Amino acid sequence: MFKMKNSLILLALLSSATTNAVTTYGGHVDISKESTTILEITYRLTLSQADTNFTASNFSSTLSCPSTGQGINLNGFVQTSERKEYVNCAQTIFNWVVSYQTTIDLSDTTYNAIVNCCNLRVDATCGTRHPNINTLSTSATSFYIFTDFENCTTLKNRTAAHSNFSNYTRNCLNQPFFYNNGMYDTANFDSLSYRLVSPLTSHSTSVNHKAPYSGIYPLQAFDTDGDGKGDITLDYLTGDFIYTPTLIDQMGPAAILITEWRKDSTGSYAVVSEMHKEVLIETKLCPENNPPSINGPYTY
């Protein structure tokens, strides 16, 4: 009887561990500084179809001062939205797109150690990346994102809004792929810029890519200049991410650093926020418009 009881407890623990496993496809952190002290933080995550029982306990977040290394764990996350994002025509395959929010008051004594820090960071760690990712040396790495924001001279600010909260996309083999970050700033009318960076497992650790991939070359693409790497374009002003995928069933993360700029009192542009956003991109064979294979000899 004693052995059976222990076996049941072990089975329950294993079942719980399986239930709490999370596969995160992509995400970003939005911050709204409503006053000198009030911060409204929103976490937007794209998750695997299997993550039906995802709750606030499945991710963690800290507010920290990078210059001193001091950080404080955040809590009080409330789910604000949840929807299915279908990725096939039959609507049998989908991802979960969820949002959680918390509000903090920097004047609270909890934040005394970092309230005077001029550059604050909110990060989020959520499960692991998809096990089928094949552009990284290790697929199921820890998923980590962050947003930095200026805290001394910027009294009010809202990081750029997203017209599309999904951080996952499928593209078609051998067909030009266009992904726009869909960001705009009508709250403060600040300027935005974009650049490709490496995905992270923590703030100090980047993922390891398989050769020849890297942060600026996240996926195999059509190569026009013969340098052995495909042509991938991320327009630093518009956020347009353009390339033609040439490897079927490739799955890999792309990380984009979105910088928000505002003119200071001298008329010079200063950085008011930086958002490290991650998107998962998957290449599939689509039925239409694939280029033909032509066997020689050729006349024309």
Side-chain angles (χ1 to χ4, degrees), residues 77-96:
F77 310 118
V78 177
Q79 187 180 72
T80 56
S81 67
E82 177 187 83
R83 65 179 175 85
K84 294 179 180 179
E85 174 191 50
Y86 291 101
V87 296
N88 67 333
C89 295
Q91 295 193 343
T92 56
I93 303 174
F94 63 86
N95 303 321
W96 292 106

Side-chain angles (χ1 to χ4, degrees), residues 2 5 34 38 58 69 106 136 186 201 226 235 266 270:
F2 177 76
K5 184 177 180 180
E34 303 296 336
I38 304 299
N58 291 116
L106 291 174
L136 305 181
T186 54
T201 59
D235 191 299
T266 67

Side-chain angles (χ1 to χ4, degrees), residues 47-170:
L47 310 166
S48 164
Q49 181 174 343
D51 294 326
T52 303
N53 299 319
F54 185 87
T55 67
S57 64
N58 291 116
F59 73 97
S60 61
S61 177
T62 61
L63 176 67
S64 63
C65 178
S67 61
T68 65
Q70 293 176 296
I72 297 164
N73 292 329
L74 300 179
N75 50 43
F77 310 118
V78 177
Q79 187 180 72
T80 56
S81 67
E82 177 187 83
R83 65 179 175 85
K84 294 179 180 179
E85 174 191 50
Y86 291 101
V87 296
N88 67 333
C89 295
Q91 295 193 343
T92 56
I93 303 174
F94 63 86
N95 303 321
W96 292 106
V97 180
V98 299
S99 297
Y100 283 81
Q101 198 170 83
T102 189
T103 301
I104 64 173
D105 186 348
L106 291 174
S107 64
D108 190 283
T109 55
T110 305
Y111 308 102
N112 280 352
I114 61 174
V115 66
N116 294 319
C117 181
C118 286
N119 185 59
L120 289 174
R121 169 176 300 143
V122 177
D123 66 12
T125 301
C126 183
T128 58
R129 295 178 175 87
H130 199 285
N132 291 343
I133 285 176
N134 46 24
T135 60
L136 305 181
S137 300
T138 304
S139 58
T141 51
S142 297
F143 181 87
Y144 176 88
I145 50 176
F146 71 89
T147 294
D148 287 351
F149 62 98
E150 204 282 325
N151 187 50
C152 287
T153 60
T154 308
L155 301 182
K156 283 189 175 185
N157 185 49
R158 185 177 186 89
T159 53
H162 289 67
S163 59
N164 178 12
F165 294 143
S166 174
N167 291 293
Y168 168 93
T169 184
R170 275 188 173 183

